[in-house]
Amino acid sequence: GLVSTNNSSVLQNAHLDLLKSDVMFGSINSEKTGSFTFVDIPEGDNYKLTPNKNDDVANGVSTADIVLMQKHILGVQKFASVYQYIAADVNNSKSITAADVSELRKLILGITDSFKDGVNSWTFVKNSMTFTDQENPWLNYPWDNQYELKDLQGVNSSMDFMGIKMGDVNYSAKTTELSTSGESRSGDRLVIGLDKSSLTPAASVQIPVYGTWKSNLNGFQFALQYNEDYGSLIQLRSGELEINANNYKIIEGQNAQVLISWDSKLPLKATDKPLFYMDFKIVSPCNALQLLELNPTILKAEAYDDQIQIMNIAIAQRGSDLNKLACELYQNQPNPFNEQTQIGFQVPEKQLVVLKIFDARGHVMLKKEFMAEKGKNKVTLQQQEIGRAGIYYYQLETENFVGTRKLLLTN
């Protein structure tokens, strides 16, 4: 048979259990092609075939999903597929409510690492299943997710299943080891603006956080790492954005940072007022640009326009000439790679740049500092410069720009 997904991709490593007279007979995982095959099965007996998969619960889950869920709940933009209804019901209440949004945000911020009430990371139905009401799949609950083979004879080659990644309403989940996200990217970006004025030691210092963008802003997520040699974060407070304790998580220690997930019921137009404030205890003189930097290793930095296209996020000094910030960091090619890959970027003028490679834990694996020419540039990265196969992040830094993307090194 074949295990596919609700966006017509195939699903690798779905677990298939074959029961013979209700006793486990064998188990296999689907291949890279999504296919699976049981062989040498005695004929004449009764069998049941059931799929399951309950790993990497955060796969495909981001604040973009929350934005889509909120639009659906408010009736602004209803779900287009019955599978989106299933994916959004992460608390198994047979409905889509603010409680589902809350559960998803906890997962995004790392407050929880699983869905509650025994909801697996993937839900399966038979590929041939039809729903009575495309806007109410629970009318057919429990869903048909098992093939029964009575008095097995010959070859049975149409045991196909549909996998639905829970929480992944925009179909961005990685479904095979070599697949890449199908996310749509915007030409716009969100530039986080910080003042460069000096911060002196004090028990509580308010740091305003500004933003610059062109299209409407519907939501964002990012992690800001801060140097505890300079200070420690106390809390975030609302500005133009309504921010409360449910929108962020503070992580203290060696890699101190704050994870932020925000969405709006109404799109936000550009404003010159602070988006929100960060209250810090400052222990050593510094400025906000020295204190704060984006950390992409624990939470992807991305914002969303009206079409829920992804806007890149950068940090810059407030009031900087945005034309001079016209830096772009491109996706490495090829990606995935196993020998070498090229990282392309563009800068508005000849300048010093820093390229860093991070592992999934945020450790710097490689740092290159060099002069980039005005316009488009390319850097070749060799496999031996990084090491073993895995997911890595590369970050380009200039005086006024920080951009980050993900790369995949294979064996």
Side-chain angles (χ1 to χ4, degrees), residues 189-207:
R189 62 176 171 169
L190 169 62
V191 179
I192 298 170
L194 298 173
D195 288 327
K196 204 173 182 179
S197 55
S198 298
L199 304 173
T200 56
S204 181
V205 174
Q206 177 180 281
I207 298 176

Side-chain angles (χ1 to χ4, degrees), residues 1-278:
L2 180 72
V3 186
S4 55
T5 66
N6 41 313
N7 66 338
S8 301
S9 299
V10 297
L11 181 60
Q12 182 182 4
N13 288 332
H15 191 72
L16 287 304
D17 289 331
L18 184 65
L19 281 68
K20 175 182 176 182
S21 300
D22 292 325
V23 177
M24 182 65 70
F25 177 81
S27 297
I28 57 174
N29 287 344
S30 56
E31 304 289 341
K32 295 178 184 178
T33 59
S35 62
F36 62 92
T37 305
F38 287 92
V39 297
D40 299 327
I41 302 174
E43 295 184 336
D45 291 310
N46 298 329
Y47 296 90
K48 293 179 181 178
L49 179 64
T50 305
N52 65 83
K53 184 174 173 65
N54 192 28
D55 58 4
D56 196 6
V57 67
N59 180 18
V61 175
S62 71
T63 305
D65 299 298
I66 289 180
V67 173
L68 287 172
M69 290 167 66
Q70 293 279 35
K71 286 179 177 291
H72 171 82
I73 292 170
L74 294 171
V76 175
Q77 180 180 325
K78 303 292 272 186
F79 291 151
S81 165
V82 66
Y83 301 115
Q84 288 179 297
Y85 285 84
I86 296 174
D89 183 24
V90 295
N91 67 351
N92 199 28
S93 66
K94 312 297 186 294
S95 61
I96 311 302
T97 68
D100 295 296
V101 171
S102 177
E103 283 300 307
L104 213 58
R105 199 183 310 274
K106 290 176 184 177
L107 182 69
I108 292 167
L109 295 177
I111 296 170
T112 60
D113 59 5
S114 65
F115 298 127
K116 69 177 187 179
D117 297 330
V119 176
N120 285 350
S121 58
W122 287 83
T123 293
F124 294 89
V125 298
K126 289 166 64 172
N127 214 30
S128 58
M129 182 175 176
T130 58
F131 293 90
T132 305
D133 185 342
Q134 294 294 304
E135 296 184 355
N136 189 358
W138 303 284
L139 289 177
N140 301 103
Y141 193 85
W143 301 306
D144 191 0
N145 65 351
Q146 183 181 79
Y147 284 97
E148 294 192 27
L149 304 170
K150 295 183 179 180
D151 188 22
L152 177 67
Q153 301 294 328
V155 176
N156 289 262
S157 58
S158 300
M159 307 290 102
D160 299 337
F161 293 98
M162 176 77 72
I164 302 126
K165 176 62 185 65
M166 299 304 292
D168 178 25
V169 182
N170 68 343
Y171 307 151
S172 62
K174 181 179 173 66
T175 59
T176 72
E177 63 184 55
L178 297 180
S179 67
T180 55
S181 169
E183 296 165 332
S184 177
R185 305 199 76 87
S186 167
D188 195 5
R189 62 176 171 169
L190 169 62
V191 179
I192 298 170
L194 298 173
D195 288 327
K196 204 173 182 179
S197 55
S198 298
L199 304 173
T200 56
S204 181
V205 174
Q206 177 180 281
I207 298 176
V209 178
Y210 299 85
T212 303
W213 65 94
K214 296 177 182 178
S215 55
N216 288 333
L217 186 65
N218 285 262
F220 57 69
Q221 64 174 42
F222 54 84
L224 289 174
Q225 186 165 319
Y226 53 92
N227 188 337
E228 288 199 317
D229 290 339
Y230 292 131
S232 57
L233 180 59
I234 302 170
Q235 65 178 354
L236 268 57
R237 291 188 293 108
S238 297
E240 288 299 289
L241 310 184
E242 183 179 342
I243 297 283
N244 59 51
N246 295 322
N247 293 111
Y248 65 93
K249 175 187 176 183
I250 298 174
I251 301 175
E252 299 175 334
Q254 184 175 4
N255 294 311
Q257 56 196 300
V258 57
L259 281 59
I260 307 171
S261 168
W262 171 85
D263 67 282
S264 175
K265 293 180 180 179
L266 294 174
L268 183 67
K269 296 183 181 299
T271 175
D272 58 2
K273 298 178 181 179
L275 300 182
F276 59 92
Y277 299 90
M278 306 180 75

